[in-house]
Amino acid sequence: MTARAEKAVAYFYDQEIGNFCYGGGNPMRPHRARLVYSLLKSYGLTQNMILHKPEPRSFEQLTEFHADDYIDFLRVVTPSTAEDN
């Protein structure tokens, strides 16, 4: 019988998540992300996780997974101009 590999849980969180305006129609609710992290920490579950803080990425890194025109759009869009674009 082979030994079962132990699985690791990775969790990505940055406390700065609430410092951005995601726009009224965006389903992202920063307080929910903060609440989930707070609950994980309160129950001691973060001790069993690999915690990562996302780092800013360059244009080249972002376009490895996203179209160039999408990243260009995100560079210039604001909540007041979102409807125009």
Side-chain angles (χ1 to χ4, degrees), residues 11-39:
Y11 187 74
F12 290 79
Y13 179 75
D14 186 344
Q15 62 187 357
E16 299 291 320
I17 195 168
N19 295 341
F20 302 95
C21 176
Y22 294 97
N26 191 305
M28 173 61 181
R29 301 291 180 255
H31 67 278
R32 290 181 184 166
R34 287 191 295 268
L35 177 61
V36 168
Y37 180 74
S38 177
L39 288 169

Side-chain angles (χ1 to χ4, degrees), residues 69-82 85:
D69 58 342
Y70 176 66
I71 302 304
D72 287 334
F73 166 76
L74 292 177
R75 284 181 169 174
V76 299
V77 71
T78 66
S80 60
T81 64
N85 293 305

Side-chain angles (χ1 to χ4, degrees), residues 41-77:
K41 193 167 181 153
S42 295
Y43 283 105
L45 298 173
T46 55
Q47 295 174 12
N48 301 320
M49 297 177 172
I50 301 168
L51 297 173
H52 296 279
K53 180 180 178 182
E55 297 294 329
R57 300 294 180 213
S58 68
F59 179 85
E60 290 75 23
Q61 290 170 315
L62 291 172
T63 55
E64 288 179 24
F65 298 97
H66 302 285
D68 293 14
D69 58 342
Y70 176 66
I71 302 304
D72 287 334
F73 166 76
L74 292 177
R75 284 181 169 174
V76 299
V77 71

